[in-house]
Amino acid sequence: MTYRAGIIGTGGVAGMGIYGGSEDDIDDDPVDASHAGGYRAADGVELAAIADVDADALERFGRAWDVPEARRYRGHEAMLEAEDLDVISVCTPSMLHREHVEDAVRIGDPEVIWCEKPIACSVADGEAMVETCEDAGVELVINHSLRFQRQTQALRAAIDDGLLGEVHSVVAGSSMELLRVGTHVVDLAVYLLEARAASIAGHVTGENEAAAHLADRRVDDAGGGGFVCTDDGIFVTFDGTAPRDATGFHARFTGSDGRLTTDVDGWRYWDGDGTERDSPSGGYADDHEQGFANAAAHAIDLIEGTAENVSPGRQACHTLEILVGFYVSSATGGRVSVPLERPLRDVTITSW
């Protein structure tokens, strides 16, 4: 059986590429590290329809990915009403995620919604999306792509088995901005440690590397970071203040029985005696591109009931809660307790 997928939003991450941060980077060539690329790489699913309010973007995307003109829709409602879709990707800016996810559930009735990160611009919106999907029996998968890489899943299993002993601290970083990029690394710590934040202190620089390239520059998201104390005593430090050309993803997990680090050369592991051992990430070669293919395959597994959601909406809400906590702490000059209480759950940080 071949399942049918549709995409709402035909910009960069949907299939055209925008990883340099500029809309000028988008041309007519499809990019495999994308939702459309994931569907093309995975067995058992086809990209059946696309929707966008921008006619030029819709035409460019449809031509690049061989989507018939009859299945290119101006507006997501038209696609959802006309098409019978099993999986729906939401690839619009994060301030539109709630509207598009809830419309997908209400009109489209899919089995799975694969939504871009961050889940929303406020914790309250993210939680509303989760509740809408749960009430309808729809799996909400958030595209924190590191969770779909097999080496990351192998690391989590090894940490669960005691690889690091008692984890004491994590030091991690990425390029700016917090919601656009930092969410991946913060979520990685949440995923690998299976931990929840208890206390947060943050600093926001106000600098946005992408703002100069955006048609609407009224975007709150900026570089920043801070520290998080988890409910089981792990101290996590995150730095997302540098531009893309000056830094990349990096992390160090330190425990009583070992140390695990990653940088440009991949994951490395030292035991409690300081001896470097084979990496528990295994021989997998998953990269950013493969993460999308794995996520599309995971959507099929969820439809068929052969897997549990690797990146569920509720966990994405907690990752967003940490990021919002950085902003609230920076604005107030104080530490923030988690879970956030109202009205802090309604604090909105616009991103793209």
Side-chain angles (χ1 to χ4, degrees):
M1 179 176 180
T2 299
Y3 297 104
R4 303 179 78 248
I7 295 178
I8 301 174
T10 58
V13 75
M16 304 308 294
I18 192 171
Y19 300 110
S22 170
E23 292 180 358
D24 295 335
D25 294 339
I26 297 181
D27 57 23
D28 292 336
D29 295 325
V31 174
D32 289 332
S34 64
H35 285 245
Y39 291 133
R40 184 165 67 181
D43 294 329
V45 62
E46 65 172 355
L47 177 57
I50 55 176
D52 204 303
V53 296
D54 185 323
D56 292 337
L58 191 65
E59 191 277 333
R60 177 183 59 203
F61 190 100
R63 185 177 65 249
W65 288 99
D66 298 321
V67 179
E69 288 189 24
R71 299 194 183 279
R72 305 174 193 173
Y73 295 89
R74 285 290 301 275
H76 66 286
E77 297 98 334
M79 182 184 77
L80 296 173
E81 290 169 354
E83 300 286 346
D84 182 14
L85 300 171
D86 302 292
V87 187
I88 296 172
S89 285
V90 174
C91 300
T92 48
S94 54
M95 64 279 286
L96 299 175
H97 286 178
R98 178 177 178 178
E99 174 190 349
H100 291 162
V101 166
E102 291 183 341
D103 283 353
V105 172
R106 178 175 55 86
I107 305 172
D109 191 30
E111 296 288 331
V112 175
I113 295 176
W114 178 15
C115 179
E116 262 307 307
K117 52 70 193 171
I119 184 171
C121 291
S122 74
V123 176
D125 278 354
E127 290 176 336
M129 293 161 59
V130 170
E131 291 171 5
T132 296
C133 290
E134 289 181 345
D135 289 346
V138 176
E139 286 283 359
L140 177 59
V141 180
I142 306 303
N143 195 43
H144 280 124
S145 54
L146 292 172
R147 289 180 178 241
F148 301 109
Q149 295 179 357
R150 290 171 294 176
Q151 59 261 38
T152 309
Q153 295 171 6
L155 289 174
R156 172 164 162 159
I159 292 172
D160 285 347
D161 287 341
L163 175 78
L164 299 177
E166 179 182 357
V167 179
H168 299 310
S169 66
V170 179
V171 177
S174 70
S175 56
M176 64 175 74
E177 300 78 22
L178 287 170
L179 268 66
R180 181 172 76 102
V181 183
T183 183
H184 283 296
V185 183
V186 172
D187 185 74
L188 177 70
V190 170
Y191 175 67
L192 289 182
L193 299 176
E194 299 182 71
R196 295 191 66 82
S199 177
I200 298 170
H203 170 72
V204 177
T205 67
E207 298 181 15
N208 185 314
E209 184 180 17
H213 306 296
L214 301 178
D216 183 352
R217 300 185 183 183
R218 295 172 296 176
V219 173
D220 302 316
D221 196 18
F227 70 79
V228 179
C229 295
T230 70
D231 56 6
D232 53 358
I234 302 172
F235 190 82
V236 181
T237 305
F238 173 74
D239 177 8
T241 61
R244 183 179 295 271
D245 60 0
T247 189
F249 159 58
H250 56 276
R252 182 177 75 246
F253 293 75
T254 301
S256 59
D257 294 340
R259 183 174 79 255
L260 188 64
T261 70
T262 189
D263 210 320
V264 293
D265 295 328
W267 289 96
R268 301 173 66 184
Y269 169 67
W270 289 262
D271 65 20
D273 295 325
T275 302
E276 185 168 6
R277 305 291 186 183
D278 289 341
S279 171
S281 59
Y284 303 118
D286 288 356
D287 56 12
H288 186 58
E289 176 181 319
Q290 187 63 38
F292 284 90
N294 292 348
H298 185 60
I300 297 173
D301 292 340
L302 291 174
I303 293 173
E304 297 181 344
T306 59
E308 292 187 5
N309 196 335
V310 171
S311 189
R314 286 207 176 274
Q315 292 186 20
C317 282
H318 184 59
T319 296
L320 178 60
E321 193 171 34
I322 294 170
L323 297 169
V324 171
F326 287 152
Y327 282 94
V328 172
S329 172
S330 182
T332 62
R335 292 173 66 171
V336 177
S337 296
V338 180
L340 297 177
E341 302 291 341
R342 291 195 181 277
L344 299 183
R345 305 186 83 74
D346 296 313
V347 169
T348 300
I349 312 296
T350 58
S351 183
W352 65 295

